[in-house]
Amino acid sequence: MAAKVQTKIEKVTARGGIFYAESSFRGLQLDKLIKNELGLRSTSHNAFQWDEIISALFCTCLCGGDYLEDVNEIGKDLRLAPVAHVPSSDTIGRALKQLAVDDEVYTSKCSGKSYAFNTNPRLNNLLLESAVCMGLLKRGQMVDVDFDHVFTPCHKYDAKYSYKQDYGYFPGVYSIGGVMAYLENRDGNTPVKYHQAGTHERAFALFRSKGFTVRQFRADCGSYSEDIVRTADDNSLLFYLRAADSQSLYAQIQRITKWEAVEINCQKCEVASIMFDQFLEDRHFRLVVQRTEVEEDPLMQDLFGEKYVYRCILTNDWERTEREIIVLYNQRGAREKDFDSLNNDFMWKHLPCSFLKENTVFMILMAMCKNFFTYLMGKLAGLFLGIVPNGRLKRFVFHFIAVPAKWIRTSRTWVLKFYSDRPYDKLVFT
């Protein structure tokens, strides 16, 4: 049977759920926070202010946009709302450049090479303040901080070639229980440990200024050096760092005579603790060692003639057992999903600008958007089928954003009408 197709021009959008996200942005008073932190972008009545630019950028991302230019398409829906003021992608691009700050360039005394860092303290302050505004963090609380560098491939004008065998940037990212808290960007070819202690000092200083006490700090072997360990010990109550392999470290492990058999994540292994003496001996750090026997392999050769895989954690925690410390440290693996989400859901994969300092602005704003997304998922979980607090953006778009809706003027009041059996009527719009 042949079907007839008719088209009807009405102001109906297929992305009705985005109006709740935009309403929540105002309801949280993020617009006022942005104005307080960044000031006025222009005194002209028709000009776009910072909150309008950031709101449009967030809404584009939350609708599943992959590129900055997608705001031009999403903006058609956003402009259906009463008194909407939505910028174009060109306007947002100019705004990103206005928020950028100059890079700090350091020259290595050993190699003579120069490396650019971009910190942007004003936007990092906004990132942390917005997390407090959303209720994701509370002033005065003790927090557990995870740090890692994530390589972000991009073929931009100033992108440098990395050991990851691609051009890109190498930002250092701090998260507190999955909440993005601080970000500094660097050249892609910058050695992981180079000036990392300075990055930690700036991040810890910001956390203290907001009333946070760092209870636990975790990082991988890219933070295993004397100056970084000293900074972590000075600024956190407890720290847990993966110790990098070295001949001297293995020699120290070889002296261990007493091992305890345990099971971690359904895998049998042996654990032990020794006093760490590679550096900072006066601080009496603890080295937790885990060794796991590997299967028979004629090609496998071990330093000591035994077939073990060794993993070590450097810490100042002498209260927990070895197993508890290893399990606690392994939990930081969940933060790898945050990087995957930033790259694939929050546009890090498609940076819009040509320079490090401008793309740093975009990356911090997208980290802020991820926090906003976390807030929305927490609010909607349990109310909408298919929405879970730790869900991905694609699920959010399918189960919440994608719904036909229309703005209707009735009795001198604007009403948002949803064409769905889902409980949109239970939402509170401000």
Side-chain angles (χ1 to χ4, degrees), residues 68-242:
L68 177 60
E69 291 75 15
D70 291 336
V71 72
N72 297 328
E73 185 63 29
I74 305 300
K76 297 176 183 177
D77 297 321
L78 296 174
R79 293 185 184 95
L80 297 178
V83 201
H85 201 210
V86 184
S88 67
S89 60
D90 290 340
T91 302
I92 296 178
R94 290 193 297 271
L96 295 177
K97 296 177 182 179
Q98 290 174 319
L99 289 173
V101 298
D102 291 336
D103 300 331
E104 296 181 25
V105 180
Y106 300 96
T107 301
S108 172
K109 295 180 180 179
C110 298
S111 65
K113 294 181 179 179
S114 296
Y115 306 102
F117 284 63
N118 195 271
T119 60
N120 207 318
R122 185 166 61 152
L123 285 185
N124 271 306
N125 186 72
L126 176 61
L127 174 63
L128 196 56
E129 283 287 353
S130 64
V132 174
C133 187
M134 296 174 201
L136 301 176
L137 300 173
K138 296 181 179 179
R139 299 184 192 278
Q141 76 177 100
M142 302 188 74
V143 296
D144 299 335
V145 177
D146 291 303
F147 171 80
D148 203 357
H149 285 103
V150 52
F151 180 68
T152 305
C154 62
H155 289 248
K156 300 300 179 181
Y157 180 81
D158 62 351
K160 302 294 178 59
Y161 193 76
S162 168
Y163 74 93
K164 297 286 188 179
Q165 299 182 351
D166 202 353
Y167 289 88
Y169 303 132
F170 223 140
V173 183
Y174 296 76
S175 64
I176 300 175
V179 178
M180 301 297 104
Y182 189 82
L183 184 154
E184 285 192 7
N185 209 354
R186 315 183 309 160
D187 281 335
N189 66 337
T190 307
V192 174
K193 298 175 184 178
Y194 185 71
H195 274 263
Q196 188 187 132
T199 297
H200 292 315
E201 289 170 358
R202 288 186 288 272
F204 286 129
L206 178 61
F207 297 153
R208 284 195 301 271
S209 70
K210 302 302 178 184
F212 298 110
T213 300
V214 179
R215 177 176 55 189
Q216 297 174 166
F217 175 74
R218 298 180 295 192
D220 64 10
C221 59
S223 299
Y224 178 70
S225 70
E226 183 174 347
D227 58 338
I228 299 172
V229 171
R230 181 186 291 106
T231 302
D233 185 45
D234 290 342
N235 291 277
S236 60
L237 300 180
L238 299 170
F239 71 85
Y240 307 88
L241 305 178
R242 176 70 72 192

Side-chain angles (χ1 to χ4, degrees), residues 223-268:
S223 299
Y224 178 70
S225 70
E226 183 174 347
D227 58 338
I228 299 172
V229 171
R230 181 186 291 106
T231 302
D233 185 45
D234 290 342
N235 291 277
S236 60
L237 300 180
L238 299 170
F239 71 85
Y240 307 88
L241 305 178
R242 176 70 72 192
D245 296 340
S246 68
Q247 187 70 31
S248 59
L249 192 63
Y250 275 124
Q252 190 177 3
I253 294 172
Q254 195 177 19
R255 297 195 294 267
I256 299 176
T257 58
K258 185 178 180 181
W259 294 88
E260 179 186 356
V262 298
E263 184 175 311
I264 300 175
N265 294 332
C266 301
Q267 185 180 40
K268 294 181 179 179

Side-chain angles (χ1 to χ4, degrees), residues 414-429:
W414 284 101
V415 176
L416 181 59
K417 185 176 182 180
F418 289 97
Y419 298 88
S420 172
D421 59 354
R422 285 176 277 180
Y424 289 94
D425 58 323
K426 300 185 183 301
L427 300 176
V428 177
F429 288 74

